[in-house]
Amino acid sequence: MTLAAWLTIGLFVFTYLGMAAGGIRGLRIDRSWIACFAAVLLLVSGALSMQDAAHHLDPGALLLLLALMLISAQFDFSGVYAWLNRYLTEHAERPAVLLLGVVLLGGLLSAVLVNDIVAFALTPLLCRSLHLRGLEPRPFLLALALSCNAGSAASLIGNPQNILIGQAGGLDFWGYVAVAGPPALAAMAIVYAVIWLQWRHRWGEARPLIAGETAVELIHGARSYIKPLLASLALLALFATALPRELSALLIAVLVMVSRRVDSRDYVSKVDWNLLLLFVGLFLVSGAALQLPQLAQGAAWLAEHGLLPQGVISLATSSLVAGNLIGNVPFVVLLLGLMPELSHAVLIGLALMSTLAGNLLLIGSVVNLIVAEGAKRQGVRIGFVDYARSGVPVTLLSMTLAGLWLALGGWLPW
């Protein structure tokens, strides 16, 4: 092999080891930096040309993710998140009902918005409201993280890996919802049942809400909620047309950014550029490595011997192991590179299983880390064991039901 080939393979291995480690000890860098650093070295060394780099990028997935982040920002600026959270807080006298509200709120919003943004917006609001009412915040925050992952499995715009899968396979939006929606709803029900069984005697009793006591967040009038509602309905309607999803989302995004109250640059500040950089780096590193004849031949050999996931059990197993080792986004990018001709049925199974597998451990999904870090800033610690105690049964039960649904429904073989 040439020196460029060895460098490409070395940086590929370095990148995915970095995905597993989550960073480099002693340095304040994360997965996005690792992927971008490897991509830059490939470009600077000449191992990857600019023409090949442009070929490896998926502009549709990147633009769709960007547009959805801009649309999600409208929910924050309009006060929808704060209003929904205050409504839950006012009904905290019945913690079991509050728990149900958190699960429904996190899950349903994550089906139509990027779940990372939903978790980021709701975590501090929920923490402050629970402190205000004197309830133990951990079960409700766990429910938020778990339901955001579960609900996002229902659509192709609910999380980054589903966006990528939908774009790569050209999946029909509503056709996917018809298959993935029922197991996603079942997963949300499992989240509620597990958290309720584990915490029903430990979440405390809500103290009375003092008259005039409100959250510090600005909550606007009902008229301000019309804009995000209409934007969401218009987006879902456009997804039923022949217009590409990324163009549909971009059209709605630029329209919602027209405002008399919020500067357009404030919308841009809500974009998770770190996540977009992770996508770019992974596209370039994985694309450069998988175009090498040696790795392409290895992938063909694995596929020929049935060692790449094609059925329910293999998809579930690989999603659980790889998704919780290197992360579900890097896992999906790698698998799509290894198996570019996956059938629509396998892609649907991959989207569903890789998302539900993210609930297993605290490190299994970016959403989990967002909730844990947001809670930590509010003085609430969600430990690895605390999370796993709920995440493991939720994941195993929800993935089992999803597997039965896919196999018995005839979409995938066992």
Side-chain angles (χ1 to χ4, degrees):
M1 287 194 300
T2 65
L3 179 60
W6 280 112
L7 178 63
T8 301
I9 293 175
L11 289 173
F12 175 79
V13 173
F14 164 79
T15 299
Y16 279 88
L17 286 176
M19 295 300 106
I24 298 177
R25 186 180 295 275
L27 298 177
R28 296 175 64 87
I29 57 177
D30 58 9
R31 291 181 172 95
S32 297
W33 183 91
I34 291 171
C36 287
F37 173 71
V40 168
L41 285 185
L42 287 173
L43 290 168
V44 171
S45 67
L48 177 66
S49 68
M50 292 299 295
Q51 292 78 10
D52 286 337
H55 174 72
H56 296 320
L57 290 175
D58 186 340
L62 293 171
L63 289 173
L64 179 56
L65 184 57
L66 170 64
L68 290 171
M69 290 177 179
L70 293 171
I71 295 170
S72 299
Q74 179 60 43
F75 282 75
D76 190 7
F77 292 135
S78 65
V80 170
Y81 290 135
W83 176 77
L84 290 170
N85 180 69
R86 188 174 72 175
Y87 181 82
L88 291 178
T89 305
E90 291 173 348
H91 294 79
E93 289 81 5
R94 293 182 292 172
V97 176
L98 174 61
L99 177 66
L100 178 62
V102 171
V103 171
L104 291 175
L105 183 61
L108 295 179
L109 282 178
S110 294
V112 295
L113 303 171
V114 181
N115 60 355
D116 296 358
I117 298 174
V118 173
F120 183 81
L122 288 179
T123 297
L125 298 175
L126 191 58
C127 277
R128 287 194 283 270
S129 296
L130 291 167
H131 282 311
L132 189 68
R133 299 308 301 270
L135 291 172
E136 166 62 62
R138 285 180 297 169
F140 303 97
L141 292 169
L142 288 170
L144 177 63
L146 294 166
S147 63
C148 281
N149 284 321
S152 72
S155 82
L156 291 173
I157 58 172
N159 57 61
Q161 67 270 15
N162 280 16
I163 290 173
L164 178 59
I165 292 168
Q167 292 295 109
L171 299 181
D172 177 70
F173 181 83
W174 292 108
Y176 174 83
V177 172
V179 178
L185 288 173
M188 290 168 59
I190 290 170
V191 170
Y192 178 82
V194 168
I195 298 294
W196 182 82
L197 286 170
Q198 292 180 342
W199 288 91
R200 66 189 186 279
H201 298 307
R202 296 189 290 151
W203 50 36
E205 294 184 5
R207 70 173 181 84
L209 190 63
I210 301 173
E213 194 173 38
T214 59
V216 296
E217 287 74 26
L218 180 62
I219 299 177
H220 307 291
R223 289 180 59 186
S224 66
Y225 310 145
I226 296 175
K227 187 177 180 180
L229 176 61
L230 291 178
S232 299
L233 293 176
L235 182 65
L236 295 176
L238 286 174
F239 283 164
T241 69
L243 189 66
R245 278 195 291 272
E246 63 271 23
L247 297 183
S248 300
L250 283 170
L251 175 61
I252 301 299
V254 296
L255 290 177
V256 300
M257 291 173 69
V258 178
S259 172
R260 290 181 297 178
R261 182 169 50 85
V262 182
D263 291 336
S264 57
R265 70 177 62 209
D266 291 334
Y267 284 91
V268 177
S269 69
K270 292 289 186 178
V271 172
D272 188 348
W273 297 105
N274 201 52
L275 180 59
L276 290 173
L277 285 174
L278 175 63
F279 263 59
V280 170
L282 289 174
F283 281 147
L284 297 185
V285 173
S286 299
L290 294 173
Q291 74 177 1
L292 295 175
Q294 295 83 358
L295 288 188
Q297 292 168 3
W301 184 88
L302 291 173
E304 180 182 348
H305 290 79
L307 298 178
L308 292 175
Q310 293 278 359
V312 168
I313 296 176
S314 58
L315 277 173
T317 303
S318 59
S319 295
L320 278 172
V321 175
N324 284 277
L325 181 63
I326 62 176
N328 41 28
V329 170
F331 165 62
V332 166
V333 172
L334 178 60
L335 190 59
L336 291 177
L338 290 172
M339 305 173 70
E341 303 299 327
L342 288 174
S343 68
H344 282 191
V346 174
L347 288 172
I348 290 172
L350 175 62
L352 187 57
M353 290 299 187
S354 64
T355 300
L356 295 178
N359 271 336
L360 185 72
L361 300 174
L362 187 61
I363 59 173
S365 168
V366 174
V367 166
N368 307 340
L369 298 174
I370 287 173
V371 172
E373 288 300 313
K376 184 179 179 181
R377 288 192 288 270
Q378 301 294 324
V380 180
R381 183 182 181 276
I382 299 177
F384 189 88
V385 174
D386 286 330
Y387 184 92
R389 186 169 177 267
S390 301
V392 170
V394 164
T395 303
L396 297 182
L397 288 171
S398 59
M399 292 187 74
T400 299
L401 283 181
L404 289 171
W405 172 261
L406 293 172
L408 297 180
W411 289 290
L412 283 177
W414 283 108

